[in-house]
Amino acid sequence: MKVLEVDLGERSYPIYIGAGILGRDDLIAQHIKGISTVTVSNTTVAPLYLKNIHALISAFKNTDIILPDGEQYKTPETLDLIYTQMLEARCDRKTTLLALGGGVVGDVSGFAAASYQRGINFIQIPTTLLAMVDSSVGGKTGVNHPLGKNMIGAFHQPQCVIIDTETLNTLDDRQLSAGIAEIIKYGYINDLAFIDWLDENMDKLLKRDPEALAYAIHRSCKHKADIVAADEKEAGQRALLNLGHTFGHAIETGMGYGNWLHGEAISAGMVMAAELSQKHGWVSESEVAGIRTLLKKANLPVEPPAEISAEKFSKLMSIDKKVQDGVLHLVLMKSLGESIISSDFDKTALQQVLARA
Ligand code: NAD
Ligand code: GLY
Protein backbone atom coordinates (compact mmCIF):
# COMPACT_ATOMS: atom_id res chain seq x y z
CA MET A 1 0.00 0.00 0.00
CA LYS A 2 1.15 3.54 -0.76
CA VAL A 3 0.15 6.56 1.31
CA LEU A 4 0.03 10.16 0.11
CA GLU A 5 -0.72 13.14 2.34
CA VAL A 6 -2.94 16.09 1.45
CA ASP A 7 -1.14 18.74 3.46
CA LEU A 8 -3.73 21.15 4.86
CA GLY A 9 -2.37 21.83 8.35
CA GLU A 10 -4.79 20.60 11.02
CA ARG A 11 -7.09 19.26 8.29
CA SER A 12 -4.40 17.18 6.55
CA TYR A 13 -5.43 13.67 5.59
CA PRO A 14 -4.01 10.53 4.04
CA ILE A 15 -4.86 8.93 0.70
CA TYR A 16 -4.33 5.17 0.96
CA ILE A 17 -3.77 3.40 -2.38
CA GLY A 18 -3.47 -0.36 -2.74
CA ALA A 19 -4.95 -3.57 -4.09
CA GLY A 20 -7.36 -5.27 -1.68
CA ILE A 21 -7.03 -2.64 1.06
CA LEU A 22 -10.78 -2.63 1.68
CA GLY A 23 -10.00 -5.79 3.62
CA ARG A 24 -7.96 -3.83 6.22
CA ASP A 25 -10.09 -2.75 9.17
CA ASP A 26 -7.23 -0.81 10.80
CA LEU A 27 -7.34 1.83 8.05
CA ILE A 28 -10.92 2.92 8.37
CA ALA A 29 -11.54 2.51 12.11
CA GLN A 30 -8.83 4.99 13.14
CA HIS A 31 -10.63 7.73 11.15
CA ILE A 32 -14.06 7.18 12.75
CA LYS A 33 -14.29 9.33 15.88
CA GLY A 34 -17.79 8.65 17.26
CA ILE A 35 -19.83 5.49 17.75
CA SER A 36 -22.01 5.76 14.65
CA THR A 37 -21.57 5.72 10.88
CA VAL A 38 -23.76 6.22 7.86
CA THR A 39 -22.69 4.51 4.64
CA VAL A 40 -23.94 6.12 1.44
CA SER A 41 -23.72 4.15 -1.80
CA ASN A 42 -25.89 3.46 -4.83
CA THR A 43 -27.89 0.58 -6.31
CA THR A 44 -24.96 -0.56 -8.49
CA VAL A 45 -22.06 -0.33 -6.05
CA ALA A 46 -23.83 -1.45 -2.87
CA PRO A 47 -24.43 -5.06 -4.06
CA LEU A 48 -20.74 -5.27 -5.01
CA TYR A 49 -18.91 -3.74 -2.05
CA LEU A 50 -21.22 -2.81 0.83
CA LYS A 51 -20.58 -6.11 2.59
CA ASN A 52 -16.84 -5.32 2.60
CA ILE A 53 -17.59 -2.05 4.39
CA HIS A 54 -19.91 -3.74 6.88
CA ALA A 55 -17.11 -6.13 7.80
CA LEU A 56 -14.85 -3.16 8.60
CA ILE A 57 -17.30 -1.20 10.72
CA SER A 58 -19.04 -3.90 12.73
CA ALA A 59 -17.98 -2.11 15.93
CA PHE A 60 -20.05 0.96 14.99
CA LYS A 61 -23.79 1.60 14.79
CA ASN A 62 -24.23 1.91 11.03
CA THR A 63 -27.08 3.01 8.77
CA ASP A 64 -26.98 2.37 5.01
CA ILE A 65 -28.41 4.86 2.54
CA ILE A 66 -28.67 3.52 -1.00
CA LEU A 67 -29.19 6.12 -3.72
CA PRO A 68 -30.45 5.63 -7.27
CA ASP A 69 -27.56 5.41 -9.74
CA GLY A 70 -26.72 8.17 -12.19
CA GLU A 71 -25.55 11.74 -12.75
CA GLN A 72 -29.23 12.75 -13.11
CA TYR A 73 -29.61 12.01 -9.38
CA LYS A 74 -26.85 14.41 -8.30
CA THR A 75 -29.56 16.81 -7.18
CA PRO A 76 -30.90 18.71 -4.17
CA GLU A 77 -33.71 16.09 -4.03
CA THR A 78 -31.19 13.29 -3.46
CA LEU A 79 -29.47 15.42 -0.85
CA ASP A 80 -32.78 15.83 0.93
CA LEU A 81 -33.28 12.06 0.85
CA ILE A 82 -29.92 11.63 2.61
CA TYR A 83 -30.78 14.24 5.27
CA THR A 84 -34.15 12.59 5.94
CA GLN A 85 -32.69 9.12 6.38
CA MET A 86 -29.92 10.47 8.60
CA LEU A 87 -32.42 12.28 10.79
CA GLU A 88 -34.63 9.20 10.98
CA ALA A 89 -31.58 7.18 12.06
CA ARG A 90 -30.80 9.86 14.70
CA CYS A 91 -27.37 10.58 13.23
CA ASP A 92 -25.68 13.30 15.23
CA ARG A 93 -22.64 15.54 14.96
CA LYS A 94 -20.27 12.70 15.87
CA THR A 95 -21.59 10.43 13.09
CA THR A 96 -19.06 9.69 10.32
CA LEU A 97 -20.37 9.42 6.76
CA LEU A 98 -18.72 6.87 4.47
CA ALA A 99 -19.10 7.62 0.74
CA LEU A 100 -18.80 4.36 -1.22
CA GLY A 101 -18.99 4.77 -4.99
CA GLY A 102 -18.05 6.97 -7.91
CA GLY A 103 -17.92 10.74 -8.14
CA VAL A 104 -21.68 11.16 -8.00
CA VAL A 105 -22.00 9.37 -4.64
CA GLY A 106 -18.86 11.14 -3.37
CA ASP A 107 -20.00 14.62 -4.40
CA VAL A 108 -23.58 14.44 -3.20
CA SER A 109 -22.89 12.62 0.06
CA GLY A 110 -19.82 14.78 0.67
CA PHE A 111 -22.13 17.80 0.48
CA ALA A 112 -24.54 16.07 2.86
CA ALA A 113 -21.59 15.65 5.26
CA ALA A 114 -20.61 19.32 4.76
CA SER A 115 -24.08 20.54 5.68
CA TYR A 116 -25.72 17.99 8.00
CA GLN A 117 -25.88 19.68 11.42
CA ARG A 118 -23.37 22.20 9.97
CA GLY A 119 -20.78 19.60 9.11
CA ILE A 120 -19.79 16.07 10.10
CA ASN A 121 -16.76 13.91 9.35
CA PHE A 122 -16.67 11.85 6.20
CA ILE A 123 -14.49 9.29 4.46
CA GLN A 124 -14.17 8.86 0.71
CA ILE A 125 -14.06 5.29 -0.63
CA PRO A 126 -13.96 5.84 -4.42
CA THR A 127 -14.76 2.90 -6.68
CA THR A 128 -14.41 4.43 -10.18
CA LEU A 129 -11.11 5.40 -11.74
CA LEU A 130 -12.35 8.96 -12.13
CA ALA A 131 -13.26 9.23 -8.46
CA MET A 132 -9.92 7.68 -7.43
CA VAL A 133 -7.80 10.16 -9.39
CA ASP A 134 -9.90 13.26 -8.97
CA SER A 135 -13.25 13.68 -7.23
CA SER A 136 -12.49 11.90 -3.93
CA VAL A 137 -9.45 14.12 -3.26
CA GLY A 138 -9.61 17.82 -2.49
CA GLY A 139 -12.92 18.39 -0.73
CA LYS A 140 -15.11 19.70 -3.54
CA THR A 141 -18.65 18.49 -2.84
CA GLY A 142 -21.99 19.42 -4.33
CA VAL A 143 -24.93 18.83 -6.62
CA ASN A 144 -26.00 19.97 -10.09
CA HIS A 145 -28.67 22.52 -10.98
CA PRO A 146 -30.69 22.24 -14.21
CA LEU A 147 -29.00 25.45 -15.34
CA GLY A 148 -25.44 24.49 -14.45
CA LYS A 149 -23.13 21.69 -13.36
CA ASN A 150 -21.93 21.54 -9.72
CA MET A 151 -23.50 24.93 -9.04
CA ILE A 152 -24.51 24.20 -5.44
CA GLY A 153 -21.87 22.88 -3.05
CA ALA A 154 -19.19 23.39 -0.44
CA PHE A 155 -15.54 22.70 0.23
CA HIS A 156 -15.42 19.97 2.88
CA GLN A 157 -12.32 17.80 3.24
CA PRO A 158 -12.62 14.10 4.12
CA GLN A 159 -10.84 12.41 7.05
CA CYS A 160 -9.13 10.06 4.59
CA VAL A 161 -9.45 8.56 1.11
CA ILE A 162 -9.27 4.78 0.70
CA ILE A 163 -8.52 3.65 -2.85
CA ASP A 164 -8.78 -0.09 -3.34
CA THR A 165 -7.66 -0.58 -6.94
CA GLU A 166 -9.24 -4.05 -7.04
CA THR A 167 -12.70 -2.45 -7.14
CA LEU A 168 -11.85 -1.35 -10.69
CA ASN A 169 -12.21 -4.98 -11.83
CA THR A 170 -16.00 -4.58 -11.93
CA LEU A 171 -16.03 -1.19 -13.69
CA ASP A 172 -17.11 -1.18 -17.34
CA ASP A 173 -14.74 -0.13 -20.12
CA ARG A 174 -16.51 3.13 -20.92
CA GLN A 175 -16.23 4.27 -17.29
CA LEU A 176 -12.58 3.25 -17.19
CA SER A 177 -11.85 5.44 -20.21
CA ALA A 178 -13.74 8.34 -18.62
CA GLY A 179 -11.34 8.11 -15.68
CA ILE A 180 -8.35 8.06 -18.01
CA ALA A 181 -9.50 11.46 -19.36
CA GLU A 182 -8.87 13.04 -15.95
CA ILE A 183 -5.50 11.25 -15.72
CA ILE A 184 -4.46 12.65 -19.11
CA LYS A 185 -5.58 16.08 -17.90
CA TYR A 186 -2.82 16.14 -15.23
CA GLY A 187 -0.23 15.60 -17.95
CA TYR A 188 -1.40 18.51 -20.05
CA ILE A 189 -1.65 20.77 -16.99
CA ASN A 190 2.04 20.49 -16.12
CA ASP A 191 3.57 17.03 -16.55
CA LEU A 192 4.59 16.27 -20.12
CA ALA A 193 6.72 13.31 -18.99
CA PHE A 194 3.48 11.74 -17.72
CA ILE A 195 1.96 12.22 -21.19
CA ASP A 196 4.89 10.25 -22.66
CA TRP A 197 4.33 7.53 -20.04
CA LEU A 198 0.60 7.44 -20.81
CA ASP A 199 1.28 7.20 -24.52
CA GLU A 200 3.54 4.19 -23.94
CA ASN A 201 1.32 2.52 -21.36
CA MET A 202 -2.22 3.22 -22.62
CA ASP A 203 -2.79 -0.38 -23.71
CA LYS A 204 -1.78 -1.61 -20.26
CA LEU A 205 -4.21 0.83 -18.60
CA LEU A 206 -7.05 -0.25 -20.89
CA LYS A 207 -6.25 -3.90 -20.12
CA ARG A 208 -6.30 -2.98 -16.39
CA ASP A 209 -2.72 -3.99 -15.72
CA PRO A 210 -2.63 -3.56 -11.91
CA GLU A 211 0.85 -2.03 -11.81
CA ALA A 212 0.12 0.49 -14.55
CA LEU A 213 -3.18 1.49 -12.93
CA ALA A 214 -1.58 1.86 -9.50
CA TYR A 215 1.19 4.03 -10.98
CA ALA A 216 -1.24 6.30 -12.87
CA ILE A 217 -3.53 6.64 -9.84
CA HIS A 218 -0.63 7.47 -7.52
CA ARG A 219 0.89 10.04 -9.89
CA SER A 220 -2.51 11.67 -10.49
CA CYS A 221 -3.36 11.84 -6.77
CA LYS A 222 0.07 13.36 -6.09
CA HIS A 223 -0.67 16.14 -8.60
CA LYS A 224 -4.08 16.73 -7.12
CA ALA A 225 -2.83 16.67 -3.52
CA ASP A 226 -0.07 19.18 -4.31
CA ILE A 227 -2.40 21.62 -6.04
CA VAL A 228 -5.07 21.35 -3.33
CA ALA A 229 -2.47 21.87 -0.59
CA ALA A 230 -1.29 25.05 -2.34
CA ASP A 231 -4.75 26.45 -3.10
CA GLU A 232 -7.54 24.64 -1.25
CA LYS A 233 -10.40 27.03 -2.08
CA GLU A 234 -9.40 27.78 -5.68
CA ALA A 235 -8.19 31.33 -5.21
CA GLY A 236 -5.75 30.75 -8.07
CA GLN A 237 -3.88 27.74 -9.39
CA ARG A 238 -6.44 25.07 -8.37
CA ALA A 239 -8.51 26.32 -11.33
CA LEU A 240 -5.89 24.64 -13.55
CA LEU A 241 -7.52 21.34 -12.56
CA ASN A 242 -10.43 22.51 -14.67
CA LEU A 243 -8.62 22.16 -17.99
CA GLY A 244 -11.36 21.30 -20.50
CA HIS A 245 -14.08 21.71 -17.85
CA THR A 246 -15.81 24.94 -18.94
CA PHE A 247 -16.37 23.40 -22.38
CA GLY A 248 -17.05 19.98 -20.82
CA HIS A 249 -19.58 21.21 -18.27
CA ALA A 250 -21.45 22.95 -21.11
CA ILE A 251 -21.57 19.61 -22.95
CA GLU A 252 -22.84 17.74 -19.87
CA THR A 253 -25.53 20.33 -19.11
CA GLY A 254 -26.45 20.86 -22.77
CA MET A 255 -26.80 17.14 -23.53
CA GLY A 256 -28.70 16.37 -20.31
CA TYR A 257 -26.90 15.04 -17.24
CA GLY A 258 -25.72 11.45 -17.67
CA ASN A 259 -25.83 11.29 -21.48
CA TRP A 260 -22.19 12.22 -21.89
CA LEU A 261 -20.03 10.88 -19.05
CA HIS A 262 -18.11 13.57 -17.20
CA GLY A 263 -14.75 12.22 -18.40
CA GLU A 264 -15.98 12.07 -22.00
CA ALA A 265 -17.10 15.70 -21.87
CA ILE A 266 -13.74 16.69 -20.38
CA SER A 267 -11.96 14.85 -23.20
CA ALA A 268 -13.78 16.80 -25.93
CA GLY A 269 -13.43 19.95 -23.80
CA MET A 270 -9.63 19.53 -23.57
CA VAL A 271 -9.45 19.36 -27.37
CA MET A 272 -11.51 22.56 -27.61
CA ALA A 273 -9.17 24.27 -25.12
CA ALA A 274 -6.22 23.07 -27.21
CA GLU A 275 -7.80 24.37 -30.42
CA LEU A 276 -8.34 27.79 -28.86
CA SER A 277 -4.74 27.76 -27.62
CA GLN A 278 -3.60 26.91 -31.16
CA LYS A 279 -5.47 29.96 -32.49
CA HIS A 280 -3.27 32.06 -30.18
CA GLY A 281 -0.16 30.38 -31.58
CA TRP A 282 0.67 28.77 -28.22
CA VAL A 283 0.49 25.16 -29.38
CA SER A 284 1.01 23.85 -32.90
CA GLU A 285 -1.37 21.99 -35.17
CA SER A 286 0.66 18.80 -34.78
CA GLU A 287 0.58 19.13 -30.98
CA VAL A 288 -3.21 19.43 -31.05
CA ALA A 289 -3.29 16.38 -33.35
CA GLY A 290 -1.14 14.56 -30.76
CA ILE A 291 -3.65 15.41 -28.01
CA ARG A 292 -6.47 14.02 -30.15
CA THR A 293 -4.49 10.85 -30.89
CA LEU A 294 -3.80 10.14 -27.21
CA LEU A 295 -7.43 10.70 -26.21
CA LYS A 296 -8.63 8.50 -29.08
CA LYS A 297 -6.18 5.81 -27.97
CA ALA A 298 -8.02 5.89 -24.62
CA ASN A 299 -11.34 5.41 -26.52
CA LEU A 300 -12.46 8.93 -25.66
CA PRO A 301 -14.40 11.40 -27.84
CA VAL A 302 -12.45 14.29 -29.33
CA GLU A 303 -15.31 16.17 -30.97
CA PRO A 304 -18.09 17.99 -29.13
CA PRO A 305 -21.68 16.90 -29.85
CA ALA A 306 -23.16 18.36 -33.03
CA GLU A 307 -26.42 19.02 -31.16
CA ILE A 308 -24.97 22.04 -29.30
CA SER A 309 -24.84 25.17 -31.45
CA ALA A 310 -22.18 27.85 -30.93
CA GLU A 311 -24.87 30.10 -29.49
CA LYS A 312 -26.01 27.45 -27.02
CA PHE A 313 -22.38 26.72 -26.06
CA SER A 314 -21.80 30.40 -25.31
CA LYS A 315 -24.93 30.59 -23.20
CA LEU A 316 -24.07 27.45 -21.24
CA MET A 317 -20.48 28.61 -20.72
CA SER A 318 -21.70 31.91 -19.29
CA ILE A 319 -23.03 29.92 -16.30
CA ASP A 320 -19.77 28.52 -14.99
CA LYS A 321 -17.86 28.91 -11.75
CA LYS A 322 -15.02 30.40 -13.76
CA VAL A 323 -17.18 33.40 -14.61
CA GLN A 324 -16.10 36.02 -12.07
CA ASP A 325 -17.59 39.52 -11.98
CA GLY A 326 -19.16 38.63 -15.31
CA VAL A 327 -15.81 37.76 -16.92
CA LEU A 328 -15.19 34.24 -18.27
CA HIS A 329 -11.84 32.68 -17.37
CA LEU A 330 -10.64 29.66 -19.33
CA VAL A 331 -7.85 27.17 -18.73
CA LEU A 332 -5.74 27.21 -21.89
CA MET A 333 -2.38 25.78 -22.96
CA LYS A 334 0.40 28.37 -23.02
CA SER A 335 2.53 25.58 -24.42
CA LEU A 336 2.14 21.80 -24.48
CA GLY A 337 2.28 20.65 -20.86
CA GLU A 338 1.96 24.18 -19.43
CA SER A 339 -1.62 25.27 -18.77
CA ILE A 340 -2.66 28.76 -17.68
CA ILE A 341 -5.81 30.51 -16.50
CA SER A 342 -6.75 33.34 -18.85
CA SER A 343 -9.53 35.88 -19.23
CA ASP A 344 -7.54 37.67 -21.88
CA PHE A 345 -8.16 35.24 -24.73
CA ASP A 346 -9.34 36.22 -28.21
CA LYS A 347 -13.16 36.19 -28.04
CA THR A 348 -13.49 35.87 -31.84
CA ALA A 349 -11.21 32.83 -31.78
CA LEU A 350 -13.42 31.30 -29.07
CA GLN A 351 -16.48 31.82 -31.26
CA GLN A 352 -14.63 30.11 -34.14
CA VAL A 353 -13.86 27.08 -31.96
CA LEU A 354 -17.50 26.91 -30.80
CA ALA A 355 -18.78 27.36 -34.36
CA ARG A 356 -16.53 24.59 -35.66
CA ALA A 357 -18.07 22.36 -33.01
P1 NAD B 1 -20.43 7.89 -11.34
O1 NAD B 1 -20.31 8.18 -9.93
O2 NAD B 1 -21.74 8.12 -12.02
O3 NAD B 1 -19.97 6.38 -11.59
C1 NAD B 1 -20.01 5.85 -12.88
C2 NAD B 1 -20.81 4.54 -12.93
O4 NAD B 1 -20.01 3.47 -12.44
C3 NAD B 1 -22.08 4.53 -12.10
O5 NAD B 1 -23.07 3.82 -12.78
C4 NAD B 1 -21.64 3.79 -10.84
O6 NAD B 1 -22.70 3.20 -10.15
C5 NAD B 1 -20.73 2.77 -11.43
N1 NAD B 1 -19.72 2.22 -10.55
C6 NAD B 1 -18.99 2.87 -9.59
N2 NAD B 1 -18.03 2.07 -9.12
C7 NAD B 1 -18.15 0.88 -9.72
C8 NAD B 1 -17.45 -0.33 -9.66
N3 NAD B 1 -16.36 -0.49 -8.89
N4 NAD B 1 -17.86 -1.37 -10.42
C9 NAD B 1 -18.95 -1.23 -11.25
N5 NAD B 1 -19.61 -0.08 -11.39
C10 NAD B 1 -19.24 0.96 -10.63
O7 NAD B 1 -19.35 8.71 -12.22
P2 NAD B 1 -17.84 9.12 -11.94
O8 NAD B 1 -17.21 9.19 -13.27
O9 NAD B 1 -17.22 8.30 -10.89
O10 NAD B 1 -17.96 10.60 -11.35
C11 NAD B 1 -18.46 11.66 -12.12
C12 NAD B 1 -18.90 12.76 -11.20
O11 NAD B 1 -17.77 13.24 -10.46
C13 NAD B 1 -19.47 13.95 -11.93
O12 NAD B 1 -20.65 14.38 -11.29
C14 NAD B 1 -18.40 15.00 -11.80
O13 NAD B 1 -18.91 16.31 -11.81
C15 NAD B 1 -17.80 14.66 -10.47
N6 NAD B 1 -16.43 15.16 -10.25
C16 NAD B 1 -16.18 15.79 -9.10
C17 NAD B 1 -14.91 16.25 -8.83
C18 NAD B 1 -14.60 16.89 -7.51
O14 NAD B 1 -13.51 17.44 -7.36
N7 NAD B 1 -15.48 16.80 -6.54
C19 NAD B 1 -13.89 16.05 -9.77
C20 NAD B 1 -14.19 15.38 -10.94
C21 NAD B 1 -15.47 14.93 -11.18
N1 GLY C 1 -11.77 18.65 -10.29
C1 GLY C 1 -11.41 20.02 -10.04
C2 GLY C 1 -10.98 20.28 -8.65
O1 GLY C 1 -11.01 19.44 -7.79
O2 GLY C 1 -10.59 21.37 -8.37
Side-chain angles (χ1 to χ4, degrees):
M1 182 179 77
K2 291 204 160 140
V3 187
L4 283 167
E5 184 84 356
V6 183
D7 186 1
L8 289 168
E10 282 179 354
R11 288 172 300 106
S12 296
Y13 56 92
I15 306 169
Y16 304 108
I17 306 170
I21 61 172
L22 270 188
R24 288 183 52 162
D25 54 2
D26 56 321
L27 287 187
I28 209 162
Q30 62 181 303
H31 296 286
I32 299 173
K33 304 295 178 219
I35 58 164
S36 67
T37 55
V38 58
T39 306
V40 183
S41 191
N42 72 17
T43 48
T44 303
V45 179
L48 295 168
Y49 301 111
L50 195 56
K51 60 181 178 310
N52 301 53
I53 302 301
H54 287 168
L56 303 179
I57 55 169
S58 56
F60 301 91
K61 177 183 168 289
N62 179 64
T63 304
D64 294 328
I65 299 180
I66 310 302
L67 307 177
D69 184 6
E71 183 74 37
Q72 65 274 32
Y73 296 106
K74 194 174 141 180
T75 58
E77 290 74 25
T78 301
L79 195 59
D80 199 46
L81 190 143
I82 299 174
Y83 295 145
T84 303
Q85 293 193 38
M86 289 180 72
L87 286 164
E88 284 171 355
R90 304 285 183 271
C91 293
D92 61 26
R93 283 187 150 167
K94 296 285 286 287
T95 300
T96 296
L97 186 154
L98 314 180
L100 173 72
V104 170
V105 167
D107 278 15
V108 69
S109 61
F111 189 34
S115 47
Y116 185 79
Q117 299 196 4
R118 301 204 175 87
I120 60 169
N121 286 345
F122 88 118
I123 291 174
Q124 287 273 22
I125 309 165
T127 59
T128 64
L129 183 58
L130 186 140
M132 290 176 185
V133 299
D134 195 350
S135 62
S136 65
V137 177
K140 278 190 181 175
T141 70
V143 294
N144 300 326
H145 187 280
L147 293 179
K149 190 64 193 155
N150 296 336
M151 277 295 147
I152 322 293
F155 287 97
H156 188 58
Q157 301 294 343
Q159 305 308 113
C160 71
V161 181
I162 302 176
I163 299 177
D164 184 342
T165 51
E166 279 184 3
T167 60
L168 294 175
N169 293 336
T170 51
L171 194 67
D172 72 33
D173 289 344
R174 187 177 168 201
Q175 298 289 351
L176 190 83
S177 288
I180 295 175
E182 298 278 21
I183 293 176
I184 292 174
K185 176 190 80 177
Y186 291 111
Y188 289 124
I189 291 172
N190 65 7
D191 186 359
L192 216 46
F194 193 24
I195 292 294
D196 292 339
W197 184 90
L198 287 164
D199 200 26
E200 277 170 32
N201 291 277
M202 189 57 73
D203 287 345
K204 285 189 184 168
L205 289 179
L206 293 171
K207 285 185 185 138
R208 299 167 201 241
D209 175 277
E211 268 180 34
L213 277 172
Y215 179 84
I217 292 167
H218 185 269
R219 191 154 174 168
S220 300
C221 285
K222 176 86 177 87
H223 278 297
K224 179 114 192 207
D226 287 349
I227 292 185
V228 169
D231 178 20
E232 182 187 6
K233 301 264 171 85
E234 202 166 303
Q237 66 158 300
R238 181 165 179 170
L240 291 173
L241 292 172
N242 290 315
L243 175 63
H245 280 58
T246 302
F247 298 101
H249 284 165
I251 294 172
E252 287 186 86
T253 309
M255 294 303 288
Y257 296 125
N259 289 316
W260 274 54
L261 301 183
H262 177 70
E264 293 170 343
I266 295 325
S267 173
M270 270 192 285
V271 175
M272 295 174 83
E275 285 172 347
L276 183 51
S277 307
Q278 185 195 337
K279 287 191 180 296
H280 290 79
W282 297 338
V283 289
S284 68
E285 193 178 344
S286 66
E287 286 171 333
V288 178
I291 296 171
R292 277 204 197 89
T293 304
L294 182 62
L295 292 166
K296 275 196 210 160
K297 212 169 170 179
N299 299 322
L300 286 161
V302 294
E303 302 291 342
E307 289 89 336
I308 306 183
S309 64
E311 195 187 357
K312 189 168 175 194
F313 247 116
S314 290
K315 197 167 165 204
L316 289 164
M317 286 170 68
S318 71
I319 305 179
D320 187 271
K321 291 187 295 313
K322 276 173 299 311
V323 176
Q324 286 163 9
D325 291 335
V327 177
L328 176 63
H329 295 65
L330 288 175
V331 184
L332 297 174
M333 299 176 183
K334 189 73 193 169
S335 64
L336 195 71
E338 186 204 354
S339 292
I340 53 153
I341 303 146
S342 168
S343 58
D344 190 25
F345 52 86
D346 182 335
K347 309 299 176 292
T348 310
L350 172 62
Q351 286 311 313
Q352 286 166 355
V353 169
L354 299 182
R356 201 198 63 74

